[in-house]
Amino acid sequence: MSGETMGSSMMINRSPSSIVLPLHGNVYPTGFYNVTLNIGQPSKPYFLDVDTGSDLTWLQCDAPCVQCREAPHPYYKPSNNLVAWKDPICQSLHNNGDQRCESPGQCDYEVEYADGGSSLGVLVRDSFNLNFTSEKRQSPLLALGCGYDQDLGGSYHPIDGVLGLGRGKSSIVSQLSSAGLVRNVIGHCLSARGGGFLFFGDEIYDPSRVAWTPMSPNAKHYSPGLAELTFDGKTTGFKNLLVTFDSGASYTYVNSQVYEGLISLMKRELSTKPLRQALDDQTLPLCWKGRKPFKSIRDVKKYFKTFALSFTNDGKSKTQLEFSPEAFLIVSAKGNACLGILNGTEVGLKDLNVIGDISMQDRVVIYDNEKQLIGWAPGNCDRLPKSKSFIM
């Protein structure tokens, strides 16, 4: 770190700032949101998939690369600043403790994802060129993976790497927080019209306007614990549903029982409406067509009821996450309304229910790792918040 950066980080220690980063992409047809980060000396831009479901940030890396996919930018060339095996960040990636250490001077890693993808590589440190809301630009040295062997699974996106935003020690926000640069809080606002923003720190929202629920202390991921499903304000009998938020998933996944139950409730509601199943549309497993093609969700939302997940807060009050039609439907290229809620059991998620990007659009979702809370509120995701301005 430069002297200026060290000095300012000591100043910021007393009053942490925030970082706001624009997002690009959409749920459909792109299928993911990504952020541009400037990394290295000299710094170069990289497009990273935004993933609250994993911890480690990594770039496809020319070390040289055994197996890399085509990427928007030239592969990252690592600095020779290797992270040692005994470093706490390395240890946090090998928490089963039985990993053999073949070379103590470096930290090998392997991360695996739910869709079958993986990245194998070595941990390095490099400069991340970041703009803070305090109007300071800083370049802290942060650990990231130099990934030289990738299997990018079934859902490959044209990206340079993954931005891991999970709860673990290796996540970028954990590292920034340890350095006293921001509070350990992540938030995102995904626009249904595409784009949005990601933020680190707690300066740009009013906590009194957020619906909060405790994070489950035992969960590895951002989980508010167990939920009950209600449909059109009425109980469905589906309770004790284990739920997690995952910005790395485009769609929302529920276990097969809930999936079948939801579809039968929807079909009953739709039986008297001028919609029929569009069997010729393979965009998603279930699509409906109207008398003429739909241009937007506005054309079709009146036919669908809202449902909700209700979380119990320490047995006292309940916090509801509502799913209006905008939070579970897309309009396909063929002009049909398709259900963006999928059967998670079929893709190997067992009983886990995953809230994906489609259900987080046009709201601010906040993961406060300091207070161990998850919160959400309606938000304007089309405009980047300025320093100290509230987004709700």
Side-chain angles (χ1 to χ4, degrees), residues 112-126:
E112 294 180 337
Y113 298 97
D115 68 354
S118 64
S119 173
L120 185 74
V122 64
L123 233 56
V124 297
R125 278 195 170 83
D126 214 332

Side-chain angles (χ1 to χ4, degrees), residues 157-347:
H157 309 313
I159 49 158
D160 299 304
V162 169
L163 178 62
L165 298 173
R167 298 172 73 172
K169 199 171 271 187
S170 62
S171 96
I172 290 299
V173 74
S174 293
Q175 295 186 59
L176 289 167
S177 167
S178 299
L181 296 171
V182 297
R183 293 199 196 284
N184 196 344
V185 176
I186 296 160
H188 52 69
C189 201
L190 308 175
S191 172
R193 289 148 300 286
F197 57 88
L198 170 72
F199 61 91
F200 305 152
D202 63 354
E203 283 189 311
I204 57 169
Y205 59 88
D206 176 353
S208 68
R209 299 173 69 177
V210 178
W212 295 104
T213 192
M215 270 184 210
S216 174
N218 314 320
K220 184 176 172 235
H221 301 302
Y222 291 119
S223 171
L226 302 176
E228 178 183 356
L229 180 73
T230 59
F231 187 86
D232 194 23
K234 301 177 194 72
T235 182
T236 61
F238 293 112
K239 297 182 176 176
N240 297 325
L241 304 174
L242 180 59
V243 173
T244 186
F245 286 78
D246 184 0
S247 68
S250 305
Y251 296 108
T252 287
Y253 293 84
V254 293
N255 72 47
S256 51
Q257 282 178 302
V258 176
Y259 182 73
E260 300 299 339
L262 255 183
I263 284 177
S264 85
L265 288 164
M266 282 183 184
K267 285 185 170 171
R268 191 183 311 160
E269 284 293 330
L270 294 173
S271 59
T272 57
K273 308 289 191 296
L275 292 181
R276 58 196 169 89
Q277 215 171 317
L279 297 170
D280 58 336
D281 194 337
Q282 303 296 303
T283 306
L284 286 170
L286 190 53
C287 298
W288 293 273
K289 59 173 68 174
R291 294 196 178 103
K292 57 180 197 280
F294 303 119
K295 290 191 173 64
S296 75
I297 303 295
R298 273 199 307 276
D299 299 343
V300 74
K301 63 184 282 186
K302 61 187 176 201
Y303 302 127
F304 289 84
K305 295 279 196 242
T306 292
F307 57 93
L309 288 172
S310 180
F311 301 96
T312 305
N313 302 331
D314 306 327
K316 305 183 192 81
S317 59
K318 292 196 170 176
T319 306
Q320 286 225 330
L321 179 67
E322 287 206 336
F323 293 74
S324 65
E326 290 88 346
F328 60 82
L329 293 174
I330 61 151
V331 172
S332 74
K334 296 188 170 186
N336 301 317
C338 297
L339 181 65
I341 294 181
L342 306 176
N343 186 333
T345 310
E346 277 182 1
V347 295

Side-chain angles (χ1 to χ4, degrees), residues 41-231:
Q41 296 166 312
S43 81
K44 297 191 172 88
Y46 297 98
F47 296 163
L48 299 175
D49 204 343
V50 174
D51 187 17
T52 56
S54 65
D55 295 335
L56 183 69
T57 294
W58 58 267
L59 290 172
Q60 294 205 92
C61 181
D62 191 2
C65 194
V66 178
Q67 182 172 285
C68 283
R69 295 282 189 94
E70 200 175 317
H73 296 102
Y75 300 141
Y76 167 70
K77 284 205 184 321
S79 65
N80 290 324
N81 193 349
L82 290 169
V83 173
W85 169 258
K86 63 179 187 297
D87 189 293
I89 288 179
C90 182
Q91 294 299 306
S92 74
L93 297 170
H94 298 282
N95 51 15
N96 54 5
D98 61 4
Q99 295 284 336
R100 284 181 307 124
C101 169
E102 286 170 13
S103 37
Q106 72 177 47
C107 175
D108 299 307
Y109 77 85
E110 181 171 12
V111 285
E112 294 180 337
Y113 298 97
D115 68 354
S118 64
S119 173
L120 185 74
V122 64
L123 233 56
V124 297
R125 278 195 170 83
D126 214 332
S127 300
F128 280 63
N129 199 346
L130 300 166
N131 291 323
F132 289 76
T133 50
S134 58
E135 297 182 355
K136 286 192 170 62
R137 173 174 284 208
Q138 301 197 58
S139 300
L141 282 174
L142 304 174
L144 72 153
C146 154
Y148 52 74
D149 190 355
Q150 272 70 246
D151 173 4
L152 293 173
S155 55
Y156 172 66
H157 309 313
I159 49 158
D160 299 304
V162 169
L163 178 62
L165 298 173
R167 298 172 73 172
K169 199 171 271 187
S170 62
S171 96
I172 290 299
V173 74
S174 293
Q175 295 186 59
L176 289 167
S177 167
S178 299
L181 296 171
V182 297
R183 293 199 196 284
N184 196 344
V185 176
I186 296 160
H188 52 69
C189 201
L190 308 175
S191 172
R193 289 148 300 286
F197 57 88
L198 170 72
F199 61 91
F200 305 152
D202 63 354
E203 283 189 311
I204 57 169
Y205 59 88
D206 176 353
S208 68
R209 299 173 69 177
V210 178
W212 295 104
T213 192
M215 270 184 210
S216 174
N218 314 320
K220 184 176 172 235
H221 301 302
Y222 291 119
S223 171
L226 302 176
E228 178 183 356
L229 180 73
T230 59
F231 187 86

Side-chain angles (χ1 to χ4, degrees), residues 65 74 78 86 180 354 361 378 391:
C65 194
K86 63 179 187 297
V354 174
Q361 294 177 117
I391 47 187

